[in-house]
Amino acid sequence: MSPWRRPAPAASPPLRPLRLALVAFTALALAALRHVFVWGGGRPVLGAELHVWLGIGEGVLLCAFAVLGSTAYLAALRAAQAGTLDERMALRSGLVLTAVAFAIPHFLSSDLYDYLLRGRVEAVHGANPYTTAPGAFPADPLLAMAQWPEWAMPYGPVQALVQWAVAALAGESAWLGAYLFKALFAACHVATALVLRAACTGPSRAVALTLWLWNPALLLESATHGHNEALMALFLACAAGGIARGRVAAGTLAFGLAVLTKHGCAVLGPLLLACAWRQGRLGSFLLGAAGSIALTVPAVLHWFLAPGGLDWLTRQTANRGTSLQHFAGLALGADAARPLLLAGYAVLLAALARACLRTRDARTLAHEGTTLVLVLLLVSMPLFSPWYHLWWLPLAGAALTPRLVGGLLAVAVCVPLSYVVYATTRSFGLDHQLWQWTVGLAVPSALILRRRAAPDPG
Protein backbone atom coordinates (compact mmCIF):
# COMPACT_ATOMS: atom_id res chain seq x y z
CA MET A 1 0.00 0.00 0.00
CA SER A 2 1.32 3.45 -0.84
CA PRO A 3 1.84 5.71 2.18
CA TRP A 4 0.33 8.64 0.27
CA ARG A 5 -3.29 9.45 -0.41
CA ARG A 6 -2.73 10.95 -3.86
CA PRO A 7 0.01 10.74 -6.46
CA ALA A 8 2.98 12.95 -5.74
CA PRO A 9 3.97 15.67 -8.18
CA ALA A 10 6.96 15.17 -10.41
CA ALA A 11 9.96 14.79 -8.15
CA SER A 12 13.07 16.91 -8.36
CA PRO A 13 16.48 15.32 -8.97
CA PRO A 14 17.55 13.40 -5.84
CA LEU A 15 20.55 15.61 -5.09
CA ARG A 16 18.44 18.78 -4.87
CA PRO A 17 16.73 17.82 -1.57
CA LEU A 18 20.13 16.82 -0.17
CA ARG A 19 21.59 20.23 -0.99
CA LEU A 20 18.63 21.95 0.65
CA ALA A 21 19.01 19.72 3.73
CA LEU A 22 22.69 20.65 3.97
CA VAL A 23 21.75 24.33 3.86
CA ALA A 24 19.34 23.65 6.72
CA PHE A 25 22.06 21.98 8.77
CA THR A 26 24.38 24.89 8.04
CA ALA A 27 21.82 27.12 9.75
CA LEU A 28 21.68 24.68 12.67
CA ALA A 29 25.48 24.64 12.92
CA LEU A 30 25.63 28.44 13.03
CA ALA A 31 23.01 28.46 15.81
CA ALA A 32 24.98 25.84 17.73
CA LEU A 33 28.32 27.66 17.37
CA ARG A 34 26.75 30.86 18.62
CA HIS A 35 25.08 29.09 21.54
CA VAL A 36 28.21 27.25 22.67
CA PHE A 37 31.02 29.70 21.93
CA VAL A 38 29.62 33.26 21.64
CA TRP A 39 27.62 35.06 24.32
CA GLY A 40 28.00 38.74 23.53
CA GLY A 41 27.37 40.24 26.96
CA GLY A 42 28.40 43.77 27.90
CA ARG A 43 28.21 45.17 24.37
CA PRO A 44 25.18 47.38 23.75
CA VAL A 45 24.00 47.55 20.15
CA LEU A 46 21.06 49.75 19.05
CA GLY A 47 19.90 50.15 22.63
CA ALA A 48 20.08 46.48 23.62
CA GLU A 49 22.79 44.08 24.74
CA LEU A 50 24.52 42.23 21.93
CA HIS A 51 23.50 38.89 23.43
CA VAL A 52 19.84 39.86 22.92
CA TRP A 53 20.38 40.36 19.20
CA LEU A 54 22.46 37.20 18.97
CA GLY A 55 19.65 35.30 20.72
CA ILE A 56 17.14 36.58 18.21
CA GLY A 57 19.49 35.55 15.42
CA GLU A 58 19.82 32.09 16.93
CA GLY A 59 16.05 31.74 17.03
CA VAL A 60 15.83 32.80 13.37
CA LEU A 61 18.48 30.24 12.43
CA LEU A 62 16.53 27.53 14.24
CA CYS A 63 13.38 28.51 12.35
CA ALA A 64 15.36 28.33 9.10
CA PHE A 65 16.53 24.84 10.04
CA ALA A 66 12.96 23.73 10.75
CA VAL A 67 11.53 25.15 7.52
CA LEU A 68 14.36 24.22 5.16
CA GLY A 69 14.98 20.84 6.77
CA SER A 70 11.33 19.79 6.63
CA THR A 71 11.01 21.08 3.05
CA ALA A 72 14.00 18.97 2.01
CA TYR A 73 12.55 16.04 3.93
CA LEU A 74 9.21 16.25 2.12
CA ALA A 75 10.95 16.61 -1.26
CA ALA A 76 13.09 13.54 -0.54
CA LEU A 77 10.03 11.51 0.49
CA ARG A 78 8.23 12.45 -2.71
CA ALA A 79 11.32 11.54 -4.74
CA ALA A 80 11.51 8.17 -2.99
CA GLN A 81 7.85 7.53 -3.69
CA ALA A 82 8.27 8.50 -7.34
CA GLY A 83 11.33 6.26 -7.70
CA THR A 84 13.82 9.05 -8.49
CA LEU A 85 15.45 8.60 -5.08
CA ASP A 86 16.35 4.92 -4.95
CA GLU A 87 17.20 2.85 -1.93
CA ARG A 88 20.98 3.20 -2.29
CA MET A 89 20.85 6.97 -2.71
CA ALA A 90 18.43 7.32 0.20
CA LEU A 91 20.86 5.44 2.42
CA ARG A 92 23.99 7.26 1.27
CA SER A 93 22.47 10.71 1.56
CA GLY A 94 20.97 9.80 4.93
CA LEU A 95 24.42 8.78 6.16
CA VAL A 96 25.78 12.14 5.02
CA LEU A 97 23.08 13.99 6.96
CA THR A 98 23.68 11.83 10.03
CA ALA A 99 27.41 12.59 9.93
CA VAL A 100 26.74 16.32 9.58
CA ALA A 101 24.24 16.27 12.46
CA PHE A 102 26.73 14.34 14.61
CA ALA A 103 29.47 16.92 13.99
CA ILE A 104 27.31 19.85 15.14
CA PRO A 105 27.85 20.66 18.85
CA HIS A 106 24.99 19.73 21.15
CA PHE A 107 23.46 22.98 22.36
CA LEU A 108 19.74 22.70 23.10
CA SER A 109 20.14 19.97 25.73
CA SER A 110 22.85 19.03 28.21
CA ASP A 111 21.58 15.51 28.93
CA LEU A 112 24.80 14.03 27.54
CA TYR A 113 26.74 15.37 30.51
CA ASP A 114 24.20 13.96 32.95
CA TYR A 115 24.56 10.58 31.24
CA LEU A 116 28.32 10.87 31.65
CA LEU A 117 28.24 11.92 35.31
CA ARG A 118 25.84 9.12 36.24
CA GLY A 119 28.09 6.68 34.44
CA ARG A 120 31.04 7.98 36.46
CA VAL A 121 29.21 7.20 39.70
CA GLU A 122 29.99 3.52 39.14
CA ALA A 123 32.83 3.55 36.60
CA VAL A 124 34.98 6.04 38.56
CA HIS A 125 33.61 6.16 42.10
CA GLY A 126 32.42 2.55 42.47
CA ALA A 127 28.96 3.46 43.79
CA ASN A 128 25.47 2.31 42.83
CA PRO A 129 24.11 4.85 40.30
CA TYR A 130 20.50 4.00 41.25
CA THR A 131 20.99 4.99 44.90
CA THR A 132 23.80 7.55 44.62
CA ALA A 133 23.58 10.80 42.67
CA PRO A 134 26.64 12.42 41.03
CA GLY A 135 26.37 15.27 43.55
CA ALA A 136 27.59 12.86 46.24
CA PHE A 137 31.08 13.35 44.77
CA PRO A 138 31.71 17.12 44.93
CA ALA A 139 35.37 16.68 44.02
CA ASP A 140 34.55 15.11 40.66
CA PRO A 141 36.16 17.42 38.08
CA LEU A 142 33.23 17.03 35.69
CA LEU A 143 30.44 17.65 38.20
CA ALA A 144 29.88 21.24 37.08
CA MET A 145 28.81 19.94 33.65
CA ALA A 146 25.72 18.17 35.03
CA GLN A 147 22.34 19.91 35.00
CA TRP A 148 20.76 17.38 37.39
CA PRO A 149 23.60 16.48 39.82
CA GLU A 150 21.24 15.56 42.66
CA TRP A 151 19.25 13.02 40.64
CA ALA A 152 20.27 9.36 40.66
CA MET A 153 19.94 7.16 37.57
CA PRO A 154 16.41 7.50 36.12
CA TYR A 155 16.87 5.02 33.23
CA GLY A 156 16.88 1.26 32.81
CA PRO A 157 19.82 -1.12 33.22
CA VAL A 158 20.67 -1.25 29.49
CA GLN A 159 21.27 2.51 29.55
CA ALA A 160 23.14 2.15 32.85
CA LEU A 161 25.58 -0.25 31.18
CA VAL A 162 26.02 2.13 28.25
CA GLN A 163 26.72 5.06 30.56
CA TRP A 164 29.21 3.03 32.59
CA ALA A 165 31.09 1.98 29.45
CA VAL A 166 31.25 5.49 27.98
CA ALA A 167 32.35 6.99 31.30
CA ALA A 168 35.12 4.39 31.58
CA LEU A 169 36.32 5.17 28.04
CA ALA A 170 36.07 8.96 28.28
CA GLY A 171 38.22 9.41 31.37
CA GLU A 172 38.28 13.05 32.45
CA SER A 173 37.18 14.46 29.07
CA ALA A 174 33.58 15.68 29.08
CA TRP A 175 33.64 16.40 25.33
CA LEU A 176 35.01 12.95 24.51
CA GLY A 177 32.27 11.39 26.61
CA ALA A 178 29.62 13.52 24.95
CA TYR A 179 30.79 12.64 21.45
CA LEU A 180 31.05 8.95 22.30
CA PHE A 181 27.38 9.09 23.26
CA LYS A 182 26.57 11.04 20.10
CA ALA A 183 28.42 8.49 17.95
CA LEU A 184 26.58 5.60 19.58
CA PHE A 185 23.14 7.16 19.26
CA ALA A 186 23.81 8.38 15.70
CA ALA A 187 24.67 4.76 14.86
CA CYS A 188 21.38 3.72 16.52
CA HIS A 189 19.58 6.22 14.29
CA VAL A 190 21.05 4.59 11.17
CA ALA A 191 20.44 1.08 12.49
CA THR A 192 16.79 1.90 13.16
CA ALA A 193 16.38 3.01 9.54
CA LEU A 194 17.89 -0.28 8.36
CA VAL A 195 15.53 -2.26 10.59
CA LEU A 196 12.55 -0.35 9.23
CA ARG A 197 13.77 -0.95 5.68
CA ALA A 198 13.97 -4.68 6.34
CA ALA A 199 10.32 -4.67 7.40
CA CYS A 200 9.27 -3.31 3.98
CA THR A 201 9.19 -4.76 0.49
CA GLY A 202 9.57 -3.26 -2.98
CA PRO A 203 9.71 0.49 -3.59
CA SER A 204 8.57 1.28 -0.05
CA ARG A 205 12.04 0.31 1.19
CA ALA A 206 13.44 3.60 -0.13
CA VAL A 207 10.52 5.44 1.48
CA ALA A 208 11.17 3.74 4.82
CA LEU A 209 14.85 4.67 4.72
CA THR A 210 14.14 8.28 3.79
CA LEU A 211 11.33 8.56 6.30
CA TRP A 212 13.70 7.88 9.18
CA LEU A 213 17.19 8.91 8.04
CA TRP A 214 16.21 12.30 6.60
CA ASN A 215 13.89 13.45 9.39
CA PRO A 216 15.41 16.68 10.78
CA ALA A 217 13.84 16.21 14.22
CA LEU A 218 15.26 12.69 14.55
CA LEU A 219 18.68 13.85 13.36
CA LEU A 220 18.57 16.72 15.86
CA GLU A 221 17.62 14.57 18.85
CA SER A 222 19.63 11.43 18.04
CA ALA A 223 22.81 12.53 16.26
CA THR A 224 23.21 16.13 17.45
CA HIS A 225 21.90 15.93 21.01
CA GLY A 226 22.52 12.22 21.57
CA HIS A 227 19.42 11.32 23.54
CA ASN A 228 19.18 7.74 24.76
CA GLU A 229 15.76 7.47 23.13
CA ALA A 230 17.71 6.60 19.97
CA LEU A 231 18.73 3.28 21.51
CA MET A 232 15.22 2.66 22.83
CA ALA A 233 13.82 3.50 19.37
CA LEU A 234 16.11 0.91 17.78
CA PHE A 235 14.70 -1.77 20.04
CA LEU A 236 11.14 -0.56 19.40
CA ALA A 237 11.75 -0.77 15.66
CA CYS A 238 13.00 -4.33 16.10
CA ALA A 239 9.88 -5.10 18.12
CA ALA A 240 7.53 -3.64 15.49
CA GLY A 241 9.42 -5.39 12.68
CA GLY A 242 9.35 -8.69 14.55
CA ILE A 243 5.59 -8.49 15.10
CA ALA A 244 5.03 -7.55 11.44
CA ARG A 245 7.00 -10.59 10.25
CA GLY A 246 5.31 -12.98 12.67
CA ARG A 247 8.35 -13.29 14.94
CA VAL A 248 6.44 -12.58 18.11
CA ALA A 249 9.00 -13.98 20.56
CA ALA A 250 11.83 -11.94 19.05
CA GLY A 251 9.64 -8.86 18.86
CA THR A 252 8.62 -9.20 22.50
CA LEU A 253 12.23 -9.64 23.57
CA ALA A 254 13.20 -6.51 21.62
CA PHE A 255 10.39 -4.62 23.33
CA GLY A 256 11.72 -5.81 26.68
CA LEU A 257 15.12 -4.36 25.79
CA ALA A 258 13.43 -1.07 24.89
CA VAL A 259 11.79 -0.94 28.33
CA LEU A 260 15.10 -1.87 29.98
CA THR A 261 16.65 1.10 28.20
CA LYS A 262 13.98 3.67 29.10
CA HIS A 263 10.70 2.60 30.61
CA GLY A 264 8.50 5.35 29.18
CA CYS A 265 7.49 3.01 26.35
CA ALA A 266 6.26 0.33 28.78
CA VAL A 267 2.67 1.48 28.21
CA LEU A 268 2.83 -0.34 24.85
CA GLY A 269 3.32 -3.73 26.51
CA PRO A 270 -0.38 -4.61 26.93
CA LEU A 271 -0.90 -3.90 23.22
CA LEU A 272 1.78 -6.43 22.28
CA LEU A 273 0.06 -8.95 24.53
CA ALA A 274 -3.34 -8.23 22.94
CA CYS A 275 -1.86 -8.57 19.45
CA ALA A 276 -0.18 -11.89 20.27
CA TRP A 277 -3.33 -13.26 21.91
CA ARG A 278 -5.56 -12.40 18.95
CA GLN A 279 -3.08 -13.96 16.53
CA GLY A 280 -2.89 -17.15 18.59
CA ARG A 281 0.77 -16.49 19.47
CA LEU A 282 0.49 -16.14 23.23
CA GLY A 283 3.14 -18.81 23.80
CA SER A 284 5.63 -16.89 21.68
CA PHE A 285 4.84 -13.70 23.59
CA LEU A 286 5.45 -15.45 26.91
CA LEU A 287 8.74 -16.84 25.59
CA GLY A 288 9.91 -13.34 24.65
CA ALA A 289 8.73 -11.97 27.98
CA ALA A 290 10.64 -14.73 29.79
CA GLY A 291 13.77 -13.74 27.92
CA SER A 292 13.29 -10.12 29.00
CA ILE A 293 12.88 -11.19 32.61
CA ALA A 294 16.03 -13.30 32.39
CA LEU A 295 17.97 -10.27 31.17
CA THR A 296 16.60 -8.24 34.09
CA VAL A 297 17.80 -10.65 36.77
CA PRO A 298 21.48 -9.56 36.71
CA ALA A 299 20.40 -5.93 37.05
CA VAL A 300 18.24 -6.81 40.04
CA LEU A 301 21.12 -8.63 41.72
CA HIS A 302 23.68 -5.95 40.93
CA TRP A 303 21.73 -2.71 41.55
CA PHE A 304 18.14 -3.08 42.68
CA LEU A 305 18.45 -5.21 45.85
CA ALA A 306 20.24 -2.37 47.63
CA PRO A 307 18.09 -0.27 50.00
CA GLY A 308 16.28 2.29 47.85
CA GLY A 309 17.37 0.51 44.68
CA LEU A 310 13.95 0.92 43.09
CA ASP A 311 13.10 4.38 44.40
CA TRP A 312 14.04 5.88 41.02
CA LEU A 313 10.84 4.46 39.53
CA THR A 314 8.61 6.67 41.68
CA ARG A 315 10.94 9.61 42.33
CA GLN A 316 10.65 10.86 38.76
CA THR A 317 6.99 11.85 39.17
CA ALA A 318 8.19 14.72 41.37
CA ASN A 319 10.11 16.23 38.45
CA ARG A 320 7.42 18.36 36.81
CA GLY A 321 7.56 20.96 34.09
CA THR A 322 6.38 21.52 30.50
CA SER A 323 3.22 19.47 31.10
CA LEU A 324 -0.48 19.86 31.83
CA GLN A 325 0.22 18.64 35.37
CA HIS A 326 2.75 21.41 35.88
CA PHE A 327 0.65 24.14 34.28
CA ALA A 328 -2.44 23.14 36.28
CA GLY A 329 -0.41 23.17 39.48
CA LEU A 330 0.86 26.68 38.75
CA ALA A 331 -2.60 27.98 37.89
CA LEU A 332 -4.67 26.28 40.59
CA GLY A 333 -2.25 25.18 43.28
CA ALA A 334 -1.10 21.63 43.96
CA ASP A 335 -4.16 20.56 45.97
CA ALA A 336 -6.71 21.99 43.53
CA ALA A 337 -4.90 20.45 40.58
CA ARG A 338 -4.86 16.94 42.07
CA PRO A 339 -8.31 15.97 40.64
CA LEU A 340 -7.05 16.96 37.19
CA LEU A 341 -3.99 14.77 37.73
CA LEU A 342 -6.18 11.80 38.63
CA ALA A 343 -8.45 12.54 35.67
CA GLY A 344 -5.44 12.41 33.39
CA TYR A 345 -4.52 8.98 34.68
CA ALA A 346 -8.13 7.84 34.21
CA VAL A 347 -8.09 9.05 30.59
CA LEU A 348 -4.86 7.14 30.01
CA LEU A 349 -6.33 3.93 31.43
CA ALA A 350 -9.43 4.33 29.26
CA ALA A 351 -7.21 4.90 26.20
CA LEU A 352 -5.18 1.81 27.10
CA ALA A 353 -8.31 -0.36 27.40
CA ARG A 354 -9.61 0.93 24.07
CA ALA A 355 -6.27 0.35 22.38
CA CYS A 356 -6.09 -3.22 23.67
CA LEU A 357 -9.57 -3.95 22.30
CA ARG A 358 -8.66 -2.55 18.86
CA THR A 359 -5.17 -4.04 18.46
CA ARG A 360 -5.25 -7.10 16.21
CA ASP A 361 -2.13 -7.05 14.04
CA ALA A 362 1.05 -5.08 13.37
CA ARG A 363 -0.81 -2.30 11.56
CA THR A 364 -3.39 -1.70 14.26
CA LEU A 365 -0.63 -2.02 16.87
CA ALA A 366 1.16 0.90 15.21
CA HIS A 367 -1.95 3.09 15.05
CA GLU A 368 -3.28 2.29 18.50
CA GLY A 369 0.20 2.47 20.04
CA THR A 370 0.77 5.90 18.54
CA THR A 371 -2.53 7.19 19.88
CA LEU A 372 -1.88 5.70 23.31
CA VAL A 373 1.59 7.24 23.67
CA LEU A 374 0.31 10.64 22.57
CA VAL A 375 -2.46 10.45 25.19
CA LEU A 376 0.19 9.54 27.77
CA LEU A 377 2.32 12.53 26.82
CA LEU A 378 -0.63 14.93 26.65
CA VAL A 379 -2.50 14.20 29.88
CA SER A 380 -0.42 11.96 32.15
CA MET A 381 3.25 12.93 31.93
CA PRO A 382 4.70 15.19 34.65
CA LEU A 383 7.37 16.41 32.21
CA PHE A 384 7.46 16.48 28.41
CA SER A 385 10.57 16.76 26.26
CA PRO A 386 10.48 16.77 22.43
CA TRP A 387 12.59 13.62 22.13
CA TYR A 388 9.80 11.67 23.89
CA HIS A 389 8.18 11.40 20.46
CA LEU A 390 10.65 8.58 19.88
CA TRP A 391 8.43 6.49 22.16
CA TRP A 392 6.01 6.11 19.21
CA LEU A 393 7.85 7.18 16.05
CA PRO A 394 9.33 3.70 15.35
CA LEU A 395 5.77 2.36 15.16
CA ALA A 396 4.97 4.99 12.53
CA GLY A 397 8.11 4.16 10.59
CA ALA A 398 7.19 0.49 10.54
CA ALA A 399 3.55 0.99 9.51
CA LEU A 400 4.03 3.35 6.51
CA THR A 401 0.39 4.45 6.48
CA PRO A 402 -0.66 8.00 5.52
CA ARG A 403 -1.71 9.10 9.00
CA LEU A 404 1.53 7.94 10.60
CA VAL A 405 3.72 9.24 7.79
CA GLY A 406 1.93 12.56 8.30
CA GLY A 407 2.84 12.30 11.97
CA LEU A 408 6.52 12.02 11.12
CA LEU A 409 6.21 15.07 8.87
CA ALA A 410 4.52 17.06 11.63
CA VAL A 411 7.23 16.14 14.12
CA ALA A 412 9.93 17.09 11.61
CA VAL A 413 8.65 20.68 11.61
CA CYS A 414 7.33 21.11 15.14
CA VAL A 415 10.17 19.67 17.21
CA PRO A 416 12.88 22.09 15.98
CA LEU A 417 10.42 25.00 16.24
CA SER A 418 9.62 24.06 19.84
CA TYR A 419 13.10 25.21 20.90
CA VAL A 420 12.81 28.72 19.45
CA VAL A 421 11.95 30.50 22.72
CA TYR A 422 14.81 28.79 24.57
CA ALA A 423 17.26 29.46 21.73
CA THR A 424 16.27 33.14 21.75
CA THR A 425 16.21 33.73 25.53
CA ARG A 426 18.39 30.89 26.86
CA SER A 427 15.82 30.39 29.60
CA PHE A 428 13.75 27.34 30.55
CA GLY A 429 11.10 29.61 32.08
CA LEU A 430 7.36 29.37 31.76
CA ASP A 431 7.32 31.09 28.37
CA HIS A 432 9.60 28.39 26.97
CA GLN A 433 7.60 25.62 28.64
CA LEU A 434 4.26 26.82 27.28
CA TRP A 435 5.71 27.26 23.79
CA GLN A 436 7.45 23.89 23.76
CA TRP A 437 4.41 21.98 25.04
CA THR A 438 2.11 23.68 22.54
CA VAL A 439 4.32 23.54 19.45
CA GLY A 440 6.27 20.39 20.28
CA LEU A 441 3.40 18.25 21.56
CA ALA A 442 -0.10 19.70 21.22
CA VAL A 443 0.16 20.71 17.56
CA PRO A 444 1.61 17.45 16.16
CA SER A 445 -0.72 15.42 18.39
CA ALA A 446 -3.74 17.32 17.06
CA LEU A 447 -2.60 16.78 13.47
CA ILE A 448 -2.30 13.03 14.06
CA LEU A 449 -5.31 12.39 16.29
CA ARG A 450 -7.79 14.44 14.28
CA ARG A 451 -7.67 11.79 11.55
CA ARG A 452 -8.92 9.02 13.84
CA ALA A 453 -12.42 9.39 12.42
CA ALA A 454 -11.11 8.76 8.89
CA PRO A 455 -8.80 5.73 9.22
CA ASP A 456 -6.28 4.86 6.54
CA PRO A 457 -7.50 2.53 3.83
CA GLY A 458 -6.50 -1.09 4.24
Side-chain angles (χ1 to χ4, degrees), residues 259-330:
V259 175
L260 291 174
T261 301
K262 191 164 185 176
H263 59 283
C265 64
V267 68
L268 296 170
L271 275 64
L272 267 73
L273 173 58
C275 182
W277 177 62
R278 287 197 169 89
Q279 293 184 340
R281 304 295 300 276
L282 186 58
S284 297
F285 174 88
L286 294 176
L287 180 61
S292 301
I293 293 171
L295 292 174
T296 308
V297 169
V300 172
L301 297 176
H302 184 63
W303 290 306
F304 300 151
L305 291 182
L310 291 175
D311 288 354
W312 59 281
L313 288 171
T314 56
R315 189 182 302 128
Q316 293 178 73
T317 59
N319 184 21
R320 295 186 180 179
T322 317
S323 67
L324 281 183
Q325 291 186 13
H326 178 61
F327 301 147
L330 292 177

